[in-house]
Amino acid sequence: MDAKVQTKTSKGHDDAEREGLDQAGIRPMIGNEAIARGAWEAGVRVAAAYPGTPSTEIMEFLGTYPAGDSHVQWSTNEKVSLDVAIGGSFAGVRSITAMKHVGLNVASDALMSQAYIGVNGGLVLVVCDDPGIHSSQNEQDTRMFARFAQVPVLEPADAQEALDYTRRAFDISEEFDTPVILRSTTRLSHTRSPVKTRPRTDVEPRGFNEDTVKNVIIPAHARMAHPRVLAREVKLQEFFASPEFTRWEEGSTEIGIITASTAYSYVKEVLPEASVLKLAASYPMAIDRVREFYEAMDRVLVIEELEPVIETAMNAAGMPVEGKAFFPRDGEFSPEVVREGLRKAGIIEGAEEQVPFPVTPTARPPVLCSGCPHITSYMAVRSVNARVAGDIGCYTLAAVDPLRAIDTCVSMGSSIGNAVGFAKAGLETRPIIATIGDSTFLHGGIPALIDAVYNNANITVMILDNHIVAMTGGQDHPGTGKTLRGEETHRVVFEDMVRACGVKWVRKVDSYDMASLYQALREAIEHKGVSVVISDRPCVLDPVKLKGSPMQVAAAGCTACQSCMNLGCPSLGWSEEVLDGYHKVRIDETTCIGCSLCAQICPSDCIRPVVN
Amino acid sequence: MAGKVATKPRSVLIVGVGGQGVIMMSKVLALVCQRHGLQVKQSEVHGMAKRGGGVFSHIRYGETVSSPTIPKGEADVLLAMEWSEGLRWLDFLRRDGGAFIADTKRIVPPFAFRSRKYGSQPIYSPEAPREVMEMVGSGFALDATKIAAELGEPRAANTVLLGVLSTTLEFSADDWREVIAQNVPAKAQEANRLAFEAGRDWADASRASTMEDRLRELPGRDELAAEIAPKSVQFEITGEWCKGCDICVKMCPERCLRLNDEQIAELANPEACTGCRICEWLCPDFAIRVHRVPVLEPVA
Ligand SMILES: Cc1ncc(C[n+]2csc(CCOP(=O)(O)OP(=O)(O)O)c2C)c(N)n1
Ligand code: SF4
Ligand code: SF4
């Protein structure tokens, strides 16, 4: 099992590939691997992150480089991970943190201060946006955050640039005394292409800079820092004008396209003949160079994914330009989207409308795994007819058919605070339950739990402890007792932690023991004040894929009542046999893990282990 | 290298369901391309794949490749490892001769069984291979698992599909053979070698036969289980026997029951009631009866 956990962290490299990793060469990499590589080549020494799609693999790949090169860790949340990286920078070494776009909301408090403080060792924040919302709560544009925090943002368009820009981000950070954001997108992070690599440059640590005025951000110091930040913006605008960061690709002058990030590759696909100004940084934008381009073209269009950051800056600088009139502010770009925008702008002819093939695709939404311990937790929650504040993780899937057991879901850690609000609003007659995953609880649930106790809210909190961060692909966290590199460490004991927050009623139950879980939840609800049920059972997929001997349905006994189908276990399906208008149930033995949940539910007692 | 490689990028879209090996298949293709020093971009979206959702991988290769994703209607090959996933992506196929290579394997998702209404059938694409291949006009529909099973290794179905794919692209068979050999474990070498050749042979044989013959061999629109005449549901409660224990209200999967002011169960949302009878079975006092009444067709 230990070995399993460790191979997990070295995902992406088998031994053969691992050899010679530190040598220069060309190898295929996804964007996230290239970012990790760039950081390693730049001599990064401290790296910390909280997982989040599509950023997670960055730390996992960094963890495959020798431990002597960089310290690489999972943090409890993004704010902590940024603070760790800031600490590394203060100490004088190159440091990095990585997160998904919404992670920056959590980390933003530290970022806004650090933007004034600047850096000692180079400090890079990799932030991965998710245009198209492949797996997130929203599609906020990190470039707006960069503008807000007044820190530069680099936007690679492919894996090679991801590596190169990451390397350069550290130089820029040190030269201009600023944190630097490297902004990726889902498409870039998860596209594999050949990348030229180089060896690592070991950067001499700088040692702590004993400068209180710089390092301690009190009002007097902040007032001095702010003008520096504004001056930095101007210097960076000039710096980014170099061809390395603002690339002018000569083409027809009838139409000029200004673009950045992955949108660039769609532009090259659809309109290869146009003149293109490709910006590596939307902020601070190389405004003079942009103006030269603007003036050299008959017509200029800005093609940027999500928000009109470049467009707004150009308009503000007296260069009226078109962009979002033709290209959407929502959704992921693709060659089709760019083509459609160009058609609307009258630049290309519309392609002949293709008649779609008349077929009916099958709906295939994501589901909880066969035997997922979250299933029973929500069966229990359903049984008490409660108002349920949900949270973010695999278990959010319990909001949809067939469990339909969650009423709200906002952001990581919101459930407990939301439940307190529900209770204090005083209208709800049903019991109020907050359900929260183990990693989510550690990420943002603890302050909310203390709040609930402090304000004596009458709520029940169910911690879904599956011993892993499952949603993002199975990372360790402080409750697993293992570090990112798989070393043993202190393991958070949830009961102790909850009691330390002041909760008087706490019970831990095996998620697979349905009767005890139902019972515990009933009693917890009876308790006036905050009660906590810890539903405890490891995830069946990570860190080890569990598979027990399967169950089967004795068809003769099956009354086709569909009770077991309420679990939503994907191993349960309909057989051909129909009884009085309803299909009998069949278990797919290849995927069933034998958890017995369906057998516990079956009122006819006809689900039994397969006997060979 | 057999044939010459076009300067315009070529696009192969590989689709399937989480766990089927879509990503592995695309890696093999990418490695074959790289042997020729081609630029390759392979784009996939991770995330929901592990939770039983669909998986897709765009592979584009050529001298230079810009967009990592394939524009709609421009895939030279659409390789579907699961039947309905192939249908989902059909519009990405080039209309002028793009090849649709589809495994006829059906993986019916749990969502297909969600309706508990009387007479419900699984919700799965009704189009059968014969009609779809007729519509698309070029490509292959095959039961790769069956072909692999005949060789004694059903798990080599993916390699059968690679065999078929190899006959539609410009790389030599030896390129594929070598890359596959480098990427399968030692004990599976022989099975995969045979599977690859079987896929190639199958495709060659298929090409040699006429379209009509090919279509005839494919399954037609499945004879679905005979339609079941609809019935409506009547919920009957004997008020005197109900003690307001709330069990039925809590356990109704559709949440259509509630206790009224007299603490007696009632059907609050008759439209949602599927007539599953769980309340009837769970009521400790036998106070509930659920009747399913045939719906009479109005006489025209
Ligand atoms: C601020 C923020 N950071 C990261 C994520 C990505 N993310 C979604 S769910 C999740 C982890 C959930 O883990 P856990 O609570 O243990 O639930 P599980 O998935 O294991 O059931 C993460 C990190 C996010 N949505 N928001
Ligand atoms: S990955 Fe783990 S937590 Fe997520 S659905 Fe599967 S079993 Fe449940
Ligand atoms: S025992 Fe039942 S609930 Fe558990 S995995 Fe198998 S079919 Fe699903």
Side-chain angles (χ1 to χ4, degrees), chain A residues 416 420 441 445-463 494-508 524 527-534:
Chain A
I416 300 178
V420 173
F441 178 71
I446 298 168
L449 185 62
I450 297 172
D451 182 285
V453 173
Y454 174 54
N455 293 299
N456 195 26
N458 187 23
I459 63 167
T460 297
V461 176
M462 189 184 244
I463 299 178
F494 283 93
E495 295 108 294
D496 294 355
M497 172 165 288
V498 165
R499 284 207 182 86
C501 292
V503 178
K504 297 284 179 299
W505 197 105
V506 184
R507 189 178 301 164
K508 179 164 127 178
H527 175 82
K528 289 279 164 278
V530 182
S531 51
V532 173
V533 176
I534 299 164

Side-chain angles (χ1 to χ4, degrees), chain A residues 3 42 69 79 127 185 230 240 246 251 304 346 365 479 519 532 551 593:
Chain A
D69 289 352
K79 158 113 170 76
V127 186
T185 61
L230 298 174
F240 283 136
T246 300
E304 54 188 325
Q519 185 63 27
V532 173
M551 307 290 271
I593 68 155

